Amino acid sequence: KPATARFQPTLATQKRLAASVLKCGERKIWLDPNEITEIAQANSRQNIRKLVKSGLIIKKPEASHSRFRAREHAAAKRLGRHTGF
């Protein structure tokens, strides 16, 4: 490894606590990569709330579930496609 590589702390606990505090899944949690050392210091829900308030931890927006393909398929079905013949 190069000499410039630094130790990266595991933030699994912080991510789990943040998901619990923000009432969402862990995949919806964004931890600021520039502030990893500060986030790593947070070991309680109260500390996590403080980081959320300061914007170092963010709840990602929900991904939209597009109906485009379903509508296209339904339109084709009305024309008699996809019937198995």
Side-chain angles (χ1 to χ4, degrees):
K1 281 187 170 181
T4 57
R6 293 184 304 156
F7 170 71
Q8 285 262 323
T10 306
L11 301 175
T13 306
Q14 286 78 2
K15 193 164 261 209
R16 179 181 59 78
L17 287 172
S20 176
V21 166
L22 294 173
K23 295 183 175 72
C24 65
E26 289 182 31
R27 65 190 298 265
K28 291 290 176 208
I29 299 297
W30 178 83
L31 305 173
D32 191 340
N34 300 321
E35 304 291 341
I36 287 179
T37 52
E38 189 172 341
I39 293 171
Q41 300 300 316
N43 57 1
S44 68
R45 290 171 192 277
Q46 190 171 1
N47 290 348
I48 295 292
R49 282 189 206 98
K50 185 175 71 75
L51 293 175
V52 168
K53 196 169 184 180
S54 64
L56 300 185
I57 297 177
I58 296 174
K59 180 179 179 179
K60 291 185 202 168
E62 287 192 17
S64 62
H65 195 136
S66 175
R67 293 274 311 153
F68 174 76
R69 282 176 296 281
R71 285 194 202 99
E72 290 283 303
H73 189 75
K77 291 273 283 187
R78 282 194 290 278
L79 293 173
R81 312 309 191 245
H82 312 289
T83 58
F85 284 106

